[in-house]
Amino acid sequence: MTEQTGANGAPPQGGIDPLAVPYRQREQSITLERMDRPDEPVYGTELEPETELFTVNMGPHHPATHGVLRLLLTLEGEVVRSCTPLIGYVHTGIEKSCEDQSYWKVIPFVERMDYLSYYFNAMAFCTAVERLLEEEVPPRAQYLRVIHLELNRIASHLFWLGTSALDLGAISFLWYCLRERDKVLDLFEMSSGQRMHPRYFQVGGVIEDIPPGWERKVREFIAYLPSRLDEYEAILDRNEIVLRRLKGVAIVDRETVKGLGVTGPLLRAAGEPWDLRKAMPYSSYDHFDFKIPVGTVGDHYDRYRVRMAEMRESLKIVEQALDGLPEGPYITQNRKVALPPRHELATSMEALIHHFKLVTEGFRVPPSETYAAIEAPRGELGCFVVADGSAKPARVHMRDPSFVNLQLLPHMAQGSLVADLIASIAMLDPILGGIDR
Amino acid sequence: MSYPWSEDVITVERGPEPGGVGGAYRVLGETLRGLKTVFKQALSKPVTIEYPEEKTPVYPRFRGRHKLHRFEDTGLEKCVGCSLCAAACPAGCIRVVAAENTPDHQVSAGERYAAVYEINLTRCIFCGYCEIACPFDAITMGVDYELADYTRSDLIFTKEMLLADPIDKTPLRAEGE
């Protein structure tokens, strides 16, 4: 912890190339833009502007940072003057590891990036590879994917709601939300065998059909969740503490949000109705009727409301997908890409050869590159895959929404109180596994 | 800006503004209403499972600790040491060393058998690709999930450990399959 004073401390680094400064020094030197306007009243407070600044580290091990996010804060009393997110504490090198695996083995890897939206990670990668192979996904597989994606979106938003309410001081909320999320995870366990990181999506479709009885359980969940959401809204929507913590706090205007490349609920809360499910429909999303909730002001309250509304829209999509679930194969019939069915191994020599070939070497992808983007719970999740003609990708890059959205945090935090910074992190909903990859 | 799908856009409600007379009411009224919901939970049945005493049941598709299988009639091992599981493993946690069967030392049904079969469960990510890869159904993902141990070396499961039945049976849910 270092103490800095505006008058006799380290001078602002005017004219110095920040990249020429060694890393440790760069961490310590804070841009003091706000100090140009010392007489300006501090937003939302009656505090007198002070001149003494205080640089403090928040995190990386801080319960409110939703992972190992380190924030370098310059505080003036209780007011945040500058906020620099420092990342890299859970860097796992997944993107590099992917280059050493055949395509189907990459799927369990990429799922572990953004660990709350695992189906989305797999979906982005599979869509990209399917585009490279020009492989058609059967309609049943597309619908099954949509069902799982939207259930995953609900699970992710429920976790966001629980942890955000916890950050605002409502502890029991976390247990309520985890209770509901557990029901979604049970559904995942039943259909894909694992509660998290289920590697259910494969290139060309899904690995298994849904088990009997699963559809009934999903329908039970669809009927059950809205009453719970009503309950949550009854607690939160009009609660005076919540209103004061959320309303009018950290307003960032639409153009700034757009200019930073922020996507997802944060962009929609700022009033921009941008949703890739509508803008560039993938995986049969154009078959379903759903709405895009947008905010009007762009404060925390809008962000909260947009996500709550999105959960209800997701339920609608799941219901429509179950109603219209087509019959047919759940994975492509192209034996050069998808594994042959299990029962053929005992009878067909050709199937056995395909099986051995796919398991040991994997399928080859012609040299090309593509970018596939989908709408993840936190925004645009893109996957850039470069193929060099071999059975292993030459490069897998993920455009993770959390990483881009984190740029918004300094804009939200500047001039706000430390307590509002906690709310800002909660409403930003960053997943550090996705940010660092 | 207008999007072609602008009829599908709904604006979320803003709710009341904080403060004022309404705020004074909400401090009491809405807090009590929220508390009503909270206290209602005390009357509902707990959803938690008393874990160590009562094991969480799993679905049939659940992928837990691996199992190696024998033929029920002959007692021979199904694994022929082809190493497909090791080739399919993304984490690289399976080690197979194959050896030849001889007439007086017949271990598996095929020509070869796995002399060494080790799975490093500290590395395993339970993706189940080994199960998919195996053409003989020799390795399957079991349902056991209690895998904690005191040393890392104890978590390298050998062939004998994988062939043996688990000591505690994990309860299975009736639904599905």
Side-chain angles (χ1 to χ4, degrees), chain B:
Chain B
M1 189 189 283
S2 75
Y3 291 95
W5 57 91
S6 50
E7 70 274 9
D8 285 335
V9 173
I10 47 167
T11 310
V12 293
E13 283 174 46
R14 281 293 296 168
E17 285 300 319
V21 183
Y25 155 72
R26 278 191 299 274
V27 167
L28 192 71
E30 289 297 321
T31 310
L32 280 178
R33 206 160 68 90
L35 279 176
K36 195 182 90 187
T37 320
V38 172
F39 282 120
K40 217 163 66 184
Q41 305 295 327
L43 302 174
S44 63
K45 231 176 90 188
V47 291
T48 44
I49 295 173
E50 299 288 333
Y51 165 59
E53 286 84 32
E54 188 189 342
K55 276 200 182 185
T56 315
V58 296
Y59 286 100
R61 282 189 185 181
F62 181 75
R63 297 196 295 273
R65 201 205 76 190
H66 314 67
K67 275 168 147 182
L68 283 176
H69 295 278
R70 292 176 191 275
F71 285 106
E72 277 176 14
D73 45 353
T74 54
L76 292 173
E77 287 167 17
K78 285 186 178 177
C79 178
V80 296
C82 71
S83 299
L84 264 194
C85 45
C89 183
C93 66
I94 305 179
R95 176 168 168 257
V96 186
V97 178
E100 295 282 333
N101 277 319
T102 50
D104 50 338
H105 186 65
Q106 185 82 19
V107 181
S108 78
E111 275 177 30
R112 282 142 63 91
Y113 70 99
V116 177
Y117 195 103
E118 283 176 359
I119 298 183
N120 187 346
L121 285 183
T122 56
R123 293 244 158 197
C124 178
I125 58 173
F126 296 93
C127 64
Y129 276 1
C130 47
E131 181 187 36
I132 295 171
C134 184
F136 295 101
D137 293 327
I139 184 167
T140 56
M141 303 297 278
V143 289
D144 306 314
Y145 52 81
E146 289 175 328
L147 295 167
D149 218 320
Y150 289 102
T151 56
R152 280 161 200 259
S153 55
D154 284 353
L155 280 165
I156 300 176
F157 272 54
T158 59
K159 193 171 81 171
E160 284 68 37
M161 293 157 88
L162 292 166
L163 277 167
D165 278 330
I167 300 158
D168 288 330
K169 275 235 157 34
T170 307
L172 218 63
R173 287 191 207 243
E175 303 139 306
E177 315 286 335

Side-chain angles (χ1 to χ4, degrees), chain A residues 314-333:
Chain A
S314 290
L315 281 177
K316 276 203 271 178
I317 299 175
V318 175
E319 193 164 22
Q320 290 169 48
L322 277 179
D323 288 337
L325 190 63
E327 292 297 323
Y330 53 86
I331 194 161
T332 174
Q333 298 299 300

Side-chain angles (χ1 to χ4, degrees), chain A residues 104-105 179 189 191-194 199 209 217 231 238 240 247 272 278 292 294 299 301-302 342 355, chain B residues 3 8 10-12 14-16 19 26 37 41 59 61 63 87 125-127 129 132-134 137:
Chain A
W104 80 312
K105 286 203 252 177
R179 176 185 61 193
E189 185 190 327
S191 73
S192 355
Q194 213 69 283
R199 66 102 179 97
D209 210 345
K217 287 203 72 157
E231 217 169 65
R238 296 168 64 80
E240 185 67 10
K247 266 213 150 173
E272 185 82 17
K278 285 270 187 219
I292 307 173
V294 294
D299 59 354
Y301 194 75
D302 272 345
R342 198 90 199 146
H355 184 88
Chain B
Y3 291 95
D8 285 335
I10 47 167
T11 310
V12 293
R14 281 293 296 168
R26 278 191 299 274
T37 320
Q41 305 295 327
Y59 286 100
R61 282 189 185 181
R63 297 196 295 273
I125 58 173
F126 296 93
C127 64
Y129 276 1
I132 295 171
C134 184
D137 293 327

Side-chain angles (χ1 to χ4, degrees), chain A residues 389-423:
Chain A
S390 74
K392 291 171 182 173
R395 178 84 172 96
V396 177
H397 174 73
M398 283 276 188
R399 180 227 189 259
D400 197 274
S402 310
F403 177 71
V404 182
N405 291 358
L406 193 63
Q407 296 180 90
L408 195 60
L409 188 59
H411 293 261
M412 284 166 147
Q414 212 157 55
S416 73
L417 298 172
V418 176
D420 287 338
L421 170 69
I422 303 292

